[in-house]
């Protein structure tokens, strides 16, 4: 343990239950991934945030992108991110 919180730990900590998922918190989490401020999360951004801990494989990252990217444009938009986060059970 490094004593520092990585992005995925931060997201889990700030969104410990679905009832706490206000649009404001979702946008804050989205912006952590959208590092270039483009309004979408690219595969490289997803990889740099989720893969930074070394605990998540490229295959898992690709699966997350595939699940979230409903319009198949290769990126995750805010609405897609919200839908994905609403499907994630972070309580247990």
């Amino acid at each position: 343990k490094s004593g520092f919180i990585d992005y995925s730990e931060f997201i889990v900590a700030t969104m410990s239950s679905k009832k706490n998922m206000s649009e404001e918190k979702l946008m804050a989490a989205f912006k952590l991934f959208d590092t270039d401020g483009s309004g979408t999360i690219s595969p490289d951004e997803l990889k740099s945030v989720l893969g930074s801990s070394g605990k998540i494989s490229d295959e898992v990252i690709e699966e997350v992108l595939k699940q979230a990217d409903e319009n198949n444009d290769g990126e995750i938009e805010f609405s897609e991110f919200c839908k994905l986060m609403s499907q994630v059970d972070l309580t247990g």
Side-chain angles (χ1 to χ4, degrees), residues 12-26:
V12 169
T14 58
M15 297 182 170
S16 60
S17 70
K18 290 181 183 178
K19 65 182 173 207
N20 288 333
M21 280 205 228
S22 68
E23 188 163 333
E24 187 176 294
K25 286 184 180 180
L26 284 166

Side-chain angles (χ1 to χ4, degrees), residues 24-38:
E24 187 176 294
K25 286 184 180 180
L26 284 166
M27 181 55 80
F30 182 82
K31 287 180 179 180
L32 290 175
F33 286 92
D34 181 21
T35 56
D36 67 1
S38 67

Side-chain angles (χ1 to χ4, degrees), residues 1-3 5 9 25 30 33 58 64 82 88:
K1 294 204 172 209
S2 65
I5 295 176
E9 291 170 332
K25 286 184 180 180
F30 182 82
F33 286 92
D58 286 352
V64 169
C82 291
V88 176

